[in-house]
Coordinates of all heavy atoms in Angstrom, one line a residue:
R1789 N 172.7 83.9 125.4 CA 171.9 82.8 124.9 C 171.7 81.6 125.9 O 170.8 80.9 125.9 CB 172.4 82.2 123.6 CG 172.3 83.2 122.4 CD 172.9 82.6 121.2 NE 172.8 83.5 120.1 CZ 173.3 83.3 118.9 NH1 174.0 82.2 118.6 NH2 173.1 84.3 117.9
G1790 N 172.8 81.5 126.8 CA 172.7 80.5 127.8 C 172.1 81.0 129.1 O 171.9 80.2 130.0
G1791 N 171.9 82.3 129.2 CA 171.4 82.9 130.4 C 169.9 83.3 130.3 O 169.6 84.3 129.7
K1792 N 169.0 82.5 130.9 CA 167.6 82.8 130.7 C 166.9 83.0 132.1 O 165.8 82.8 132.2 CB 166.9 81.6 130.0 CG 167.8 81.2 128.8 CD 166.9 81.1 127.6 CE 167.7 80.7 126.4 NZ 169.0 80.1 126.4
D1793 N 167.7 83.5 133.1 CA 167.2 83.7 134.4 C 166.9 85.2 134.6 O 166.6 85.6 135.7 CB 168.1 83.2 135.5 CG 167.4 82.9 136.7 OD1 166.3 82.5 136.7 OD2 168.0 83.1 137.8
D1794 N 167.0 86.0 133.6 CA 166.6 87.4 133.7 C 165.1 87.5 134.0 O 164.3 86.6 133.7 CB 166.9 88.1 132.4 CG 166.6 89.6 132.5 OD1 167.4 90.3 133.1 OD2 165.6 90.0 131.9
T1795 N 164.7 88.5 134.7 CA 163.4 88.7 135.2 C 162.4 88.6 134.0 O 161.2 88.3 134.2 CB 163.2 90.0 136.0 OG1 163.7 91.1 135.2 CG2 164.0 89.9 137.2
H1796 N 162.8 89.1 132.8 CA 161.9 89.1 131.7 C 161.8 87.8 130.9 O 160.9 87.6 130.1 CB 162.3 90.2 130.7 CG 162.4 91.6 131.3 ND1 161.2 92.2 131.7 CD2 163.4 92.4 131.6 CE1 161.5 93.4 132.2 NE2 162.9 93.5 132.2
I1797 N 162.7 86.9 131.2 CA 162.7 85.6 130.4 C 162.8 84.4 131.3 O 163.6 83.5 131.1 CB 163.8 85.6 129.4 CG1 165.1 86.1 129.9 CG2 163.4 86.5 128.2 CD1 166.3 86.1 128.9
R1798 N 162.1 84.4 132.4 CA 162.1 83.2 133.3 C 161.1 82.2 132.8 O 161.1 81.1 133.4 CB 161.7 83.7 134.7 CG 162.8 84.4 135.4 CD 162.4 84.9 136.8 NE 163.5 85.6 137.5 CZ 163.3 86.2 138.6 NH1 162.1 86.3 139.2 NH2 164.3 86.8 139.2
S1799 N 160.4 82.4 131.8 CA 159.5 81.4 131.2 C 159.7 81.5 129.7 O 160.2 82.4 129.2 CB 158.0 81.7 131.6 OG 157.6 82.9 131.1
A1800 N 159.3 80.4 129.1 CA 159.5 80.3 127.6 C 158.5 79.3 127.1 O 157.9 78.5 127.8 CB 160.9 79.8 127.3
P1801 N 158.3 79.3 125.8 CA 157.4 78.2 125.2 C 158.0 76.9 125.5 O 159.2 76.7 125.6 CB 157.5 78.6 123.7 CG 157.9 80.0 123.6 CD 158.8 80.2 124.8
V1802 N 157.1 75.9 125.6 CA 157.6 74.5 125.9 C 158.6 74.0 124.9 O 159.5 73.3 125.3 CB 156.4 73.6 126.1 CG1 155.6 73.4 124.8 CG2 156.8 72.3 126.7
S1803 N 158.4 74.3 123.6 CA 159.3 73.9 122.6 C 160.7 74.4 122.8 O 161.7 73.7 122.6 CB 158.9 74.2 121.2 OG 158.8 75.6 121.0
A1804 N 160.8 75.7 123.3 CA 162.1 76.3 123.5 C 162.8 75.7 124.7 O 164.0 75.4 124.7 CB 162.0 77.8 123.8
V1805 N 162.0 75.3 125.7 CA 162.6 74.7 126.9 C 163.1 73.3 126.5 O 164.2 72.9 126.9 CB 161.6 74.6 128.0 CG1 162.1 73.7 129.2 CG2 161.2 75.9 128.5
I1806 N 162.4 72.6 125.7 CA 162.8 71.2 125.2 C 164.1 71.3 124.4 O 165.0 70.5 124.5 CB 161.7 70.5 124.5 CG1 160.5 70.2 125.5 CG2 162.1 69.2 123.8 CD1 159.3 69.7 124.8
E1807 N 164.1 72.3 123.5 CA 165.3 72.5 122.6 C 166.5 72.8 123.5 O 167.6 72.3 123.2 CB 165.0 73.6 121.6 CG 164.1 73.2 120.5 CD 163.9 74.3 119.5 OE1 164.2 75.4 119.8 OE2 163.4 74.0 118.4
E1808 N 166.3 73.6 124.5 CA 167.5 73.9 125.4 C 167.9 72.6 126.1 O 169.1 72.4 126.3 CB 167.1 75.0 126.4 CG 168.2 75.3 127.4 CD 167.7 76.3 128.4 OE1 166.6 76.8 128.3 OE2 168.5 76.6 129.3
A1809 N 167.0 71.8 126.6 CA 167.3 70.6 127.3 C 168.0 69.6 126.4 O 169.0 68.9 126.8 CB 166.1 70.0 127.9
A1810 N 167.6 69.5 125.1 CA 168.1 68.5 124.2 C 169.4 69.0 123.5 O 170.1 68.2 122.9 CB 167.1 68.2 123.2
A1811 N 169.7 70.3 123.6 CA 170.9 70.8 122.9 C 172.2 70.1 123.0 O 172.9 69.8 122.1 CB 171.1 72.3 123.2
P1812 N 172.6 69.6 124.3 CA 173.8 68.9 124.4 C 173.9 67.6 123.7 O 175.0 67.0 123.5 CB 174.0 68.7 125.9 CG 173.1 69.7 126.6 CD 172.0 69.9 125.6
H1813 N 172.7 67.1 123.3 CA 172.7 65.8 122.6 C 172.2 65.9 121.2 O 171.9 64.9 120.5 CB 171.7 64.8 123.4 CG 172.0 64.7 124.8 ND1 173.1 64.1 125.4 CD2 171.3 65.3 125.9 CE1 173.1 64.2 126.7 NE2 172.0 65.0 127.0
A1814 N 172.3 67.1 120.6 CA 171.8 67.3 119.3 C 172.8 66.9 118.2 O 172.4 66.9 117.0 CB 171.4 68.8 119.1
D1815 N 174.0 66.6 118.5 CA 175.0 66.3 117.5 C 175.7 65.0 117.8 O 176.9 64.8 117.7 CB 176.1 67.4 117.4 CG 175.5 68.7 117.0 OD1 174.6 68.7 116.1 OD2 175.8 69.7 117.6
R1816 N 174.9 64.0 118.3 CA 175.5 62.7 118.7 C 175.2 61.6 117.8 O 175.2 60.4 118.1 CB 175.1 62.4 120.1 CG 175.6 63.3 121.2 CD 175.1 62.9 122.6 NE 175.5 61.5 122.8 CZ 174.9 60.7 123.8 NH1 173.9 61.2 124.5 NH2 175.3 59.5 123.9
G1817 N 174.9 61.9 116.5 CA 174.7 60.9 115.5 C 173.3 60.4 115.4 O 173.1 59.5 114.6
K1818 N 172.4 60.9 116.2 CA 171.0 60.5 116.1 C 170.1 61.7 115.7 O 170.4 62.8 116.1 CB 170.5 59.9 117.4 CG 171.4 58.9 118.0 CD 171.5 57.6 117.1 CE 172.6 56.7 117.6 NZ 172.4 56.3 119.0
R1819 N 169.1 61.5 114.9 CA 168.2 62.5 114.5 C 167.1 62.8 115.6 O 166.5 61.8 116.1 CB 167.5 62.1 113.2 CG 166.5 63.2 112.7 CD 165.8 62.7 111.4 NE 164.9 63.6 110.9 CZ 165.2 64.6 110.0 NH1 166.4 64.8 109.6 NH2 164.2 65.4 109.6
L1820 N 167.0 64.0 116.0 CA 166.0 64.4 117.0 C 164.8 65.1 116.3 O 165.0 66.1 115.6 CB 166.6 65.4 118.1 CG 167.9 64.9 118.8 CD1 168.3 65.9 119.9 CD2 167.6 63.5 119.4
V1821 N 163.7 64.6 116.6 CA 162.4 65.1 115.9 C 161.5 65.6 117.0 O 161.1 64.8 117.9 CB 161.7 64.0 115.1 CG1 160.4 64.6 114.5 CG2 162.6 63.5 114.0
L1822 N 161.3 66.9 117.0 CA 160.4 67.5 118.0 C 159.1 67.8 117.3 O 159.0 68.5 116.3 CB 161.0 68.8 118.5 CG 160.0 69.7 119.4 CD1 159.6 68.9 120.7 CD2 160.7 71.0 119.8
R1823 N 158.0 67.3 117.9 CA 156.6 67.5 117.3 C 155.7 68.1 118.3 O 155.7 67.7 119.4 CB 156.1 66.1 116.8 CG 156.9 65.5 115.7 CD 156.4 64.2 115.1 NE 156.3 63.1 116.0 CZ 156.3 61.9 115.7 NH1 156.3 61.5 114.4 NH2 156.3 60.9 116.6
L1824 N 155.0 69.1 117.8 CA 154.0 69.8 118.6 C 152.6 69.4 118.1 O 152.2 69.6 117.0 CB 154.1 71.3 118.5 CG 155.5 71.8 118.9 CD1 155.6 73.3 118.6 CD2 155.9 71.5 120.3
R1825 N 151.9 68.7 119.0 CA 150.5 68.1 118.6 C 150.6 67.4 117.3 O 149.7 67.5 116.4 CB 149.5 69.3 118.5 CG 149.1 69.8 119.9 CD 148.0 70.8 119.8 NE 147.4 71.0 121.1 CZ 146.5 71.9 121.3 NH1 146.0 72.7 120.3 NH2 146.0 72.1 122.5
G1826 N 151.7 66.6 117.1 CA 151.8 65.7 115.9 C 152.4 66.3 114.7 O 152.7 65.6 113.8
R1827 N 152.7 67.7 114.8 CA 153.3 68.3 113.6 C 154.7 68.7 114.0 O 155.0 69.2 115.1 CB 152.5 69.6 113.3 CG 151.1 69.3 112.8 CD 150.3 70.6 112.6 NE 151.0 71.4 111.6 CZ 150.6 72.7 111.3 NH1 149.5 73.2 111.9 NH2 151.3 73.4 110.5
P1828 N 155.7 68.5 113.0 CA 157.1 68.9 113.3 C 157.2 70.3 113.6 O 156.6 71.2 113.0 CB 157.8 68.5 112.0 CG 156.9 67.5 111.3 CD 155.5 67.8 111.7
A1829 N 158.0 70.7 114.7 CA 158.1 72.0 115.1 C 159.0 72.8 114.1 O 159.9 72.2 113.5 CB 158.8 72.1 116.5
G1830 N 158.8 74.1 113.9 CA 159.6 74.9 113.1 C 159.2 74.8 111.6 O 159.9 75.4 110.8
Q1831 N 158.2 74.1 111.2 CA 157.8 74.1 109.8 C 156.4 74.7 109.7 O 155.4 74.1 110.1 CB 157.7 72.6 109.4 CG 159.1 71.9 109.4 CD 159.0 70.5 108.8 OE1 158.0 70.1 108.3 NE2 160.1 69.9 108.7
G1832 N 156.4 75.9 109.2 CA 155.1 76.6 109.1 C 154.7 77.2 110.4 O 155.5 77.5 111.3
Q1833 N 153.4 77.4 110.5 CA 152.8 78.0 111.7 C 152.7 77.0 112.8 O 151.8 76.1 112.8 CB 151.5 78.6 111.4 CG 150.8 79.4 112.5 CD 151.6 80.7 112.8 OE1 152.3 81.2 112.0 NE2 151.6 81.1 114.1
D1834 N 153.5 77.1 113.9 CA 153.4 76.2 115.0 C 152.1 76.6 115.8 O 151.8 77.8 115.9 CB 154.6 76.3 115.9 CG 155.8 75.7 115.3 OD1 155.6 74.8 114.4 OD2 157.0 76.0 115.6
P1835 N 151.5 75.6 116.5 CA 150.3 76.0 117.3 C 150.8 76.8 118.5 O 151.9 76.8 118.9 CB 149.8 74.6 117.8 CG 151.0 73.7 117.6 CD 151.8 74.2 116.5
A1836 N 149.9 77.6 119.1 CA 150.1 78.4 120.3 C 150.5 77.5 121.4 O 149.8 76.5 121.7 CB 148.9 79.2 120.6
Q1837 N 151.7 77.7 122.0 CA 152.2 76.8 123.0 C 152.0 77.4 124.4 O 152.0 78.6 124.6 CB 153.7 76.6 122.8 CG 154.1 76.1 121.4 CD 155.6 76.1 121.3 OE1 156.3 75.8 122.1 NE2 156.0 76.5 120.1
P1838 N 152.0 76.5 125.4 CA 152.0 76.9 126.8 C 153.3 77.5 127.2 O 154.4 77.1 126.7 CB 151.8 75.6 127.6 CG 151.2 74.6 126.7 CD 151.8 75.0 125.3

Side-chain angles (χ1 to χ4, degrees):
R1789 288 179 183 175
K1792 314 233 177 14
D1793 201 34
D1794 183 74
T1795 53
H1796 299 291
I1797 45 179
R1798 286 179 178 168
S1799 60
V1802 63
S1803 63
V1805 173
I1806 293 173
E1807 287 181 345
E1808 179 183 356
H1813 309 289
D1815 300 316
R1816 292 182 54 200
K1818 309 294 170 61
R1819 182 180 178 88
L1820 303 185
V1821 178
L1822 173 60
R1823 296 185 293 202
L1824 306 176
R1825 287 186 165 175
R1827 297 175 55 184
Q1831 295 185 2
Q1833 184 67 28
D1834 289 338
Q1837 305 172 40

